[in-house]
């Protein structure tokens, strides 16, 4: 009887595999063309990680392909991975489309990695009742980095954030303080200290204040944001596949998957022939290590 049950399970796996592949193909569908001159709007809400970089890369390529006039990134983040932040900033530097980082909604923040992204954007904007700063580096678990390594990481971060601020004509001295002393300021202080360019209550006001603004894309290359108030707006969300990857890349979930995977393998070894616990355990462990 057990062998018959196992045989039925074996026949189900190919069907499950086909179902999974179909879901992935639907999740990865190609973006539709948009009118030239559109404003492309995306949202980063949460920690910045590799999936964030994947999302930004996709949006930027789509904007380049469709000759967008402006990319707006709505940002509310507690921080994220240092290496990913550096990769995203490099995307900013390489973009031929002006980029506006807009810290919103009210109560939102551009903390830690978010500070780097805001300072590296062509236009830095914040909504009322938001904050920016606290960009000191810490370990993945939130603990302080110790001794010589701490000094190396701090100095590297300082040079990186000062470079971003100086390139965009912003307050590099405050940017250094955000890393060395983890200072954080409100939108009003940020505007007064030349950390940001605009305070806007919503995207409509951000676009209105950006209209006819000269943007220096790269040293020696500039453009004017003319007539963007009437430009079509395209909201680009994460794909379902990106949402799944973001979910499984959560460190807490990864730890749970690894623990459950090893427990399932132990259960399988204690009860040979059940098959399902062993397969489920292997899948959980693989997904956990991927995360």
């Amino acid at each position: 009887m057990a062998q018959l049950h196992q045989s039925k399970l074996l026949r189900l796996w190919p069907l499950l595999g086909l179902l999974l592949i179909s879901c992935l193909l639907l999740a990865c569908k190609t973006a539709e063309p948009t009118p030239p001159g559109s404003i492309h709007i995306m949202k980063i809400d949460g920690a910045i990680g590799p999936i964030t970089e994947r999302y930004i890369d996709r949006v930027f390529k789509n904007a380049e392909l469709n000759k967008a006039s402006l990319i707006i990134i709505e940002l509310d983040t507690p921080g994220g991975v240092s290496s990913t932040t550096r990769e995203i900033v490099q995307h900013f530097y390489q973009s031929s489309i002006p980029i506006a980082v807009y810290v919103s909604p009210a109560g939102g923040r551009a903390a830690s990695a978010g500070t780097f992204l805001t300072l590296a954007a062509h236009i830095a904007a914040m909504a009322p009742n938001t904050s920016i700063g606290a960009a000191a580096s810490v370990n993945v678990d939130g603990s302080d980095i110790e001794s010589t390594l701490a000094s190396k990481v701090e100095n590297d971060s300082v040079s990186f954030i000062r470079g971003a601020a100086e390139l965009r004509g912003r307050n590099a001295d405050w940017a250094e303080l955000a890393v060395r002393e983890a200072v954080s300021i409100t939108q009003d202080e940020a505007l007064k200290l030349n950390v940001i360019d605009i305070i806007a209550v919503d995207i409509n006001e951000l676009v209105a204040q950006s209209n006819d603004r000269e943007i220096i894309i790269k040293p020696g290359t500039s453009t004017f944001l003319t007539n963007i108030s009437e430009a079509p707006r395209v909201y680009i969300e994460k794909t379902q596949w990106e949402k799944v990857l973001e979910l499984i890349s959560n460190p807490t979930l990864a730890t749970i998957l690894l623990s459950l995977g090893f427990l399932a393998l132990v259960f399988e070894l204690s009860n040979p022939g059940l098959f399902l616990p062993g397969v489920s355990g292997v899948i959980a462990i693989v997904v956990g290590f991927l995360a």
Side-chain angles (χ1 to χ4, degrees), residues 157-174:
S157 297
V158 165
S159 63
F160 183 39
I161 202 167
R162 283 193 70 95
E166 289 169 357
L167 178 67
R168 303 305 188 198
R170 301 197 174 104
N171 192 332
D173 292 333
W174 178 87

Side-chain angles (χ1 to χ4, degrees), residues 55-187:
Y55 175 36
I56 284 177
D57 181 57
R58 178 172 62 83
V59 172
F60 281 26
K61 286 179 178 176
N62 187 49
E64 297 271 0
L65 183 65
N66 290 285
K67 298 180 180 179
S69 59
L70 179 66
I71 299 170
I72 297 177
I73 301 174
E74 291 188 79
L75 181 66
D76 179 14
T77 180
V81 181
S82 175
S83 58
T84 300
T85 303
R86 189 174 289 270
E87 290 173 3
I88 293 172
V89 169
Q90 288 173 351
H91 284 309
F92 282 20
Y93 292 161
Q94 294 164 7
S95 175
S96 62
I97 308 295
I99 301 159
V101 168
Y102 177 44
V103 184
S104 69
R109 55 182 170 166
S112 194
T115 306
F116 287 80
L117 300 192
T118 306
L119 289 172
H122 299 103
I123 299 172
M126 295 174 69
N129 192 28
T130 53
S131 63
I132 184 171
S137 298
V138 295
N139 287 313
V140 176
D141 60 2
S143 61
D144 288 334
I145 304 173
E146 298 179 359
S147 64
T148 305
L149 179 59
S151 180
K152 290 176 65 175
V153 171
E154 182 179 81
N155 289 332
D156 180 62
S157 297
V158 165
S159 63
F160 183 39
I161 202 167
R162 283 193 70 95
E166 289 169 357
L167 178 67
R168 303 305 188 198
R170 301 197 174 104
N171 192 332
D173 292 333
W174 178 87
E176 180 172 345
L177 286 176
V179 173
R180 292 200 187 279
E181 300 182 14
V183 298
S184 183
I185 54 178
T186 66
Q187 74 284 343

